[in-house]
Every structure is written in C-alpha cells, then in structure tokens.
Amino acid sequence: MNPLNGNDMAAYLKENAADLSLELVSDILKEFTSEIPTEEIKQARMMYSGLFICLADSIAQGKEINTKQILAWSRKNGEREASTDGDLSEIINRYPPSRVILVNYILNICEKFNLSHTEMLKITEIINYLLDLSISETTLAYERKSAQILKDAQIEAHELAAQIVPIQDGIAILPLYGSIDHERAAHITENVLPKIADNKINWLIIDFSGIVKMDGEVAGHIFNIHYMLELIGIEVIITGIRPALAQHAVRQGIDFSSIKTCGSVMQAIQTI
C-alpha cells in the first residue's frame, strides 16, 4: 500500500471517525423498514466509529487489526437479543445490506485518496473479516446467553416443583410433579434435603401423585434421599404411586419394598 496515501487515509478515518459513523449509520437505517431502537442506533454509531479507528490502525504500517471493540459490541448485541427473547435472525439479516453500504462508503473514501485497486481490495478484505468476526461473536453470545437463561429457568422450575410443605408439627410433604429426570433429582438431593434437615422434620411424605415418568436412575436418587434422611433420623413415606407408574417401575426393575409406601397422603398421615 502506498505509504503516503495509506497513512493520509488512516489519519482521516481516525480524526473523523465519529462524524463518518454518524453519516454511515444514517445511510444504513434507510435500508430498513422496521424501527430500530434508539439505544441500538447509538451503539451502532459507537461500533462503526470504533471500526473506522480499527481500520485506520490496520491501514497504517506495522499495525495489527484490533478487534476488541467490535467483539464487545457484537457480544452485547447477541446477549441483548437473547435477554429480550428476540430472534437472532433480526440481527444477522442486517449484516448483508450493512456490509454493502459500508464497503461502498469506504471505497468512496479510498478513491478520494487515490488508493489503487489492490489497496482497495486489501481494505475490503479487512472490512469483510471484521464483519464476519462480528457475526460469529454475535451468534456465540446469543447462544451462550440463551443457554444461561434456559438453565436459570430450569433451576427456578426445579425449585418451584420441589417445595417442602409442612402440614403438622414434625411432618412435611414433598409433592413431585411432571417428569423426574437426573438434573431435577440431583436438585432435590443437593438443595431440598438440607432444608428438610434444618426444619426439625421427623416424617417426610414424598408424594408421587403428579409424576408421569420415572426411570431407574431417578429411582436410585429416591433411594439415596431415603437413606440419607434415615441416617439423620427422618422417616420417609412414599405416596401416590399410581398403577401405571408402579407397572413402569417394575419393568424398570425399581423395587420400593424397602421403603414405607401408602396409597395417599391421608393414609400416610394416619399411619404416622
């Protein structure tokens, strides 16, 4: 790249980054029919301003491409879209028209500084690299944030679906609902059992009336709960094992004969 023209253009991009980004974002917004939130527009202007500075540094001799700002902006975009239950495609679909406008915008500046076609091609490659990097980081951030939101929701659901309900002095019920999987059974073992021990409970009724599915691994967790509570002097009674669930348990090789069972919570209370 011609040092004089290249360095002159780099200096121009750096000195006018804010104004250039303002003009560029205005041109890009004209391509979209949907309304873009004001905060997103503000963030886009900051990102493109950083991109111009990044591009200026890469044009200047001996400068490596600094991707820190564009990666941070892209990460924030992806996380924001996931947090608001948005569609990732809403962001990704903006890249193609934005890319075309940005490249043409930069090439016009290149022509003003009399850069050669080879130099223009090199700058276009840098722009495409930065935008591709942005798409990748936005997608990864969206996926990470979505996975975290899902995990948090599952934890909350597990907590709501495994509440200890005191009914009399020393007696409490642990009603179970839906399907018991490994994660939920582990949650009960790790988070519910300590509460039982702290609440001065002598008898715990684990009610399966709302359970629709249970496998052998989960049964193992139930046995562990029983044995762990037994070790600290708490008696366990299992109730609500419906015929269909009992048949499924037999087919899975699950044996509840070593644990006290009753047909209903009322029968368990009467037994106690």
Side-chain angles (χ1 to χ4, degrees):
M1 184 177 293
N2 185 303
L4 179 60
N5 291 344
N7 287 335
D8 285 350
M9 179 173 170
Y12 172 79
L13 291 175
K14 254 187 174 178
E15 292 170 5
N16 298 280
D19 292 336
L20 293 173
S21 65
L22 186 66
E23 183 179 5
L24 175 64
V25 170
S26 297
D27 290 343
I28 291 175
L29 288 174
K30 295 174 184 177
E31 294 295 313
F32 303 122
T33 55
S34 58
E35 185 175 350
I36 309 298
T38 303
E39 181 60 27
E40 286 190 36
I41 296 174
K42 179 181 176 182
Q43 291 297 324
R45 288 170 180 163
M46 292 175 60
M47 188 280 293
Y48 281 113
S49 178
L51 186 144
F52 285 127
I53 294 173
C54 177
L55 186 60
D57 288 339
S58 65
I59 291 173
Q61 289 184 346
K63 296 284 186 177
E64 294 183 358
I65 301 176
N66 185 351
T67 61
K68 184 177 179 179
Q69 185 168 350
I70 194 167
L71 286 176
W73 175 80
S74 304
R75 197 176 301 120
K76 187 173 182 179
N77 262 359
E79 291 174 351
R80 181 185 62 246
E81 200 68 15
S83 298
T84 57
D85 198 26
D87 190 343
L88 179 61
S89 62
E90 287 290 327
I91 293 179
I92 301 302
N93 287 341
R94 296 174 192 167
Y95 275 87
S98 299
R99 185 190 299 263
V100 171
I101 294 172
L102 174 60
V103 169
N104 288 333
Y105 191 85
I106 293 296
L107 290 180
N108 286 334
I109 296 175
C110 290
E111 290 178 353
K112 292 179 181 178
F113 284 88
N114 297 318
L115 268 64
S116 68
H117 290 295
T118 302
E119 293 168 337
M120 291 182 184
L121 179 61
K122 180 61 178 177
I123 290 175
T124 302
E125 288 176 353
I126 295 172
I127 294 172
N128 285 326
Y129 168 74
L130 292 173
L131 291 179
D132 289 342
L133 202 63
S134 177
I135 292 173
S136 177
E137 185 64 23
T138 299
T139 303
L140 290 173
Y142 180 90
E143 291 175 348
R144 285 194 299 265
K145 188 66 175 181
S146 295
Q148 184 61 51
I149 291 172
L150 178 59
K151 184 178 180 180
D152 292 343
Q154 288 174 337
I155 292 173
E156 184 177 356
H158 291 333
E159 291 175 349
L160 292 174
Q163 295 287 339
I164 303 168
V165 183
I167 55 173
Q168 293 181 16
D169 289 342
I171 304 174
I173 300 176
L174 176 59
L176 301 176
Y177 303 94
S179 297
I180 300 286
D181 56 15
H182 171 78
E183 186 176 349
R184 187 172 167 198
H187 171 80
I188 294 172
T189 303
E190 296 169 7
N191 299 282
V192 178
L193 290 190
K195 295 179 182 178
I196 296 172
D198 293 340
N199 287 340
K200 297 180 180 180
I201 295 171
N202 300 318
W203 290 85
L204 178 68
I205 301 169
I206 302 179
D207 184 46
F208 282 78
S209 300
I211 292 297
V212 296
K213 183 180 178 182
M214 179 175 60
D215 60 22
E217 184 181 6
V218 170
H221 282 285
I222 301 300
F223 278 114
N224 288 337
I225 291 172
H226 167 252
Y227 293 134
M228 290 169 67
L229 292 176
E230 195 175 54
L231 287 173
I232 59 176
I234 298 174
E235 296 287 343
V236 175
I237 298 180
I238 290 179
T239 64
I241 298 182
R242 294 172 286 102
L245 186 59
Q247 291 174 6
H248 177 74
V250 171
R251 287 194 296 269
Q252 293 287 323
I254 302 171
D255 181 14
F256 287 104
S257 61
S258 62
I259 305 178
K260 294 183 180 71
T261 60
C262 289
S264 66
V265 172
M266 184 59 68
Q267 290 177 2
I269 295 173
Q270 292 172 350
T271 298
I272 297 171

